[in-house]
Each structure stands twice: as structure tokens, then as C-alpha cells.
Amino acid sequence: MTSEWNSTAWYAIQTRKRREQSTATLLSGKGYEIFLPVQSWEQRRDRQNEEVRPTLFPGYLFCCFDVQKRVPILVTPGVVGVVGQGRVPIPVPFSEIHAIQSLVSSGVPAEPWPYLECGQRVQIADHALQGIEGILVGHKGNHRIVVSVTLLRRSVALEIHRSCVIPIQPLCEVFAGSVSEGVRHEVSA
């Protein structure tokens, strides 16, 4: 019994600043399947005359390829590298690619947003409690900010919508020594 193994997967490609579209065009011209999620026209009414719509992941695009044959991608003008851990590219789960593709094709307004992880230190940005800092936690499908009094070794939790908070420290400081800190970009040539 023989089964043909498909060695292609989706990878995130880091590009030079504001070169996502031109890099996508070059990679597409080389025959690669490219996905460059951009904001919808409805969302950008004030800028409909511009040729290039802002990307949802500035500095990145997605490409489906065989990781063993990545040199043609790395030498493409505009490509900084393939996102991975050290020099090992890590594929983006298909479920995440599919979710972003579905979101983009729906036409629902979407915009870049800071990545927030439970356990990360955040600050309330849009609420009556603007400026308060705490730790973002998940609880029964909702998000809460835990505010602590260190001296008392006590905390209180406030349920809040995740869109009302912004990160105040890099994720790699939150998870020192974890995989998220080890994610690096493979540099071309």
C-alpha cells in the first residue's frame, strides 16, 4: 500500500517593510500559492484611490511550499526570511490559514491587532478604567484582568472585553524560555 505524502504546507514569510504586495507578486510569478490578507475596501473608504490596501499582517505574507525546496523563496527580492524557530521553519496550521481566508473573503471589517496571550500584562485602553494595569486571564470563555495588591498578596478580577486592553510588555518577557520566545526568522542568503 503506497500513499503519496504531500510535503507542502503554509509558512509565514517575513518581508521588507511595505514590500508585501510586490514580494507576493514575485513569488506568485514563480508559481507559488500565496495568501496576502488585506483590509477590505469597505473599511478603507477614505483611501479607495490608493492602489495598495493595507495588509492585516504588516511585514508578512503566507506561502504554500515544500520546506525542503525553500531556496528560491529565500532569494526572492523583498523576502527577509521564513518564520520559524532558529533556522527551522515552522508551518502555520491550516486551520489558522483557513480562518483568516474565511475572514478576508467575508468582507467583514478586520484590522491588525496586538497579539494577547492569557498571563500577559495588559493595560485597559478603552473603558472607564483606562490606564489600569493587570494580568489578562481567561475564565469560563470570558476574559478578565486581574489587579493585585502585592503587599496584601490579594487580587481582584474585572471581566472586560479583550478589545479594551493593550499589551504593556513583550510576549517574550511573559514566557521567558518558552517556544514563543524562541521563534526567529530564517535569514536569506
Side-chain angles (χ1 to χ4, degrees):
M1 177 184 232
T2 61
S3 64
E4 187 157 326
W5 181 66
N6 186 353
S7 59
T8 63
W10 285 97
Y11 292 88
I13 305 294
Q14 184 180 18
T15 67
R16 300 207 187 287
K17 191 174 183 179
R18 292 188 290 256
R19 297 282 308 262
E20 301 93 348
Q21 184 62 57
S22 61
T23 304
T25 301
L26 291 171
L27 288 170
S28 182
K30 289 183 175 185
Y32 292 103
E33 184 178 357
I34 301 300
F35 175 47
L36 179 61
V38 294
Q39 293 182 21
S40 67
W41 281 123
E42 294 77 28
Q43 196 172 349
R44 304 293 300 181
R45 290 174 205 230
D46 59 328
R47 299 186 181 185
Q48 281 188 355
N49 294 333
E50 291 182 16
E51 287 184 28
V52 179
R53 293 184 283 171
T55 63
L56 292 177
F57 298 94
Y60 296 91
L61 59 86
F62 301 97
C63 183
C64 188
F65 62 93
D66 180 349
V67 73
Q68 301 300 319
K69 301 174 183 173
R70 66 184 176 268
V71 173
I73 291 169
L74 294 173
V75 299
T76 303
V79 171
V80 172
V82 179
V83 179
Q85 187 169 8
R87 289 199 165 277
V88 179
I90 298 175
V92 178
F94 180 74
S95 60
E96 293 178 8
I97 293 291
H98 179 70
I100 300 297
Q101 287 172 331
S102 296
L103 184 143
V104 169
S105 66
S106 76
V108 173
E111 61 185 296
W113 199 259
Y115 181 73
L116 298 174
E117 190 71 58
C118 284
Q120 186 171 3
R121 192 152 186 77
V122 295
Q123 181 179 62
I124 299 174
D126 183 30
H127 195 271
L129 302 173
Q130 185 171 356
I132 291 181
E133 297 180 7
I135 305 295
L136 182 69
V137 296
H139 180 70
K140 296 182 180 178
N142 296 316
H143 291 96
R144 295 179 180 202
I145 294 180
V146 176
V147 179
S148 300
V149 177
T150 309
L151 181 64
L152 299 178
R153 299 181 59 86
R154 299 284 188 262
S155 301
V156 295
L158 163 71
E159 190 167 313
I160 194 163
H161 193 273
R162 195 170 180 163
S163 67
C164 294
V165 299
I166 57 172
I168 59 174
Q169 80 184 74
L171 189 58
C172 62
E173 290 179 20
V174 175
F175 298 103
S178 72
V179 172
S180 61
E181 182 182 45
V183 173
R184 300 286 183 255
H185 305 282
E186 178 180 352
V187 179
S188 63

